[in-house]
Amino acid sequence: MAHVNLGKQHPAAYKSVLALNQEVEEAVAQAGLDPKLAELVKIRVSQLNGCAFCLRMHTRDALDKGETTDRLAVVAAWWESQYFTAQERAALALAEEVTHPVEPGRHEWDDGSLSDEQVSAVSWLAIVMNAWNRIAVRSHYPVAP
């Protein structure tokens, strides 16, 4: 089966995802989440989904927002490092859970570092990032130097 650009084939659906993305970005800001944390979530979700296009874009965005190369280098193994705050660790674990749901029960990320509003904002951020990853991968967006 050939790869097709989903946005070009169904521009109204693509515009709806863009609108959802804007709403989620506003929710993240209103929840008081650091823009660098939002980029870390986008990067981690994109790593899990194997989306090279989004990884490159959000790594560059994170660097532009002041993220360090050391933290970006270890975000794939965030739980093994001491680079991340309790809130960042909780957000990354929550994003992983949204991307790859686990059995119901106590959640390792739920240590009180995130308010209910922040849990909702991070969950929506992971949901919309999963949608973008699937659009980019399915559309076979080019990633070249």
Side-chain angles (χ1 to χ4, degrees):
M1 177 179 280
H3 292 281
V4 298
N5 185 311
L6 301 179
K8 289 182 180 175
Q9 289 298 309
H10 292 95
Y14 186 86
K15 287 178 185 175
S16 294
V17 177
L18 279 173
L20 174 61
N21 187 81
Q22 184 59 39
E23 289 290 327
V24 170
E25 292 291 338
E26 291 173 17
V28 167
Q30 289 174 359
L33 293 167
D34 187 317
K36 290 187 290 188
L37 182 148
E39 293 304 327
L40 292 174
V41 167
K42 293 172 186 179
I43 290 165
R44 185 64 186 132
V45 169
S46 298
Q47 287 172 337
L48 294 170
N49 288 322
C51 183
F53 181 86
C54 293
L55 278 167
R56 182 181 64 179
M57 177 173 52
H58 291 293
T59 297
R60 289 175 177 175
D61 290 348
L63 289 168
D64 288 345
K65 291 176 181 170
E67 189 55 80
T68 68
T69 55
D70 281 353
R71 284 168 40 103
L72 290 173
V74 298
V75 73
W78 59 266
W79 62 92
E80 287 269 312
S81 78
Q82 290 71 48
Y83 280 104
F84 304 99
T85 67
Q87 186 180 61
E88 290 167 336
R89 296 168 71 81
L92 289 166
L94 174 57
E96 288 180 359
E97 184 177 291
V98 170
T99 302
H100 297 294
V102 295
E103 304 256 337
R106 187 179 184 300
H107 307 284
E108 295 295 322
W109 59 265
D110 194 5
D111 65 358
S113 298
L114 298 169
S115 69
D116 288 350
E117 183 180 19
Q118 290 172 330
V119 168
S120 179
V122 170
S123 295
W124 275 108
L125 184 61
I127 289 165
V128 77
M129 199 63 229
N130 275 286
W132 283 124
N133 290 161
R134 282 156 177 76
I135 291 166
V137 169
R138 187 68 206 142
S139 297
H140 202 70
Y141 286 0
V143 180

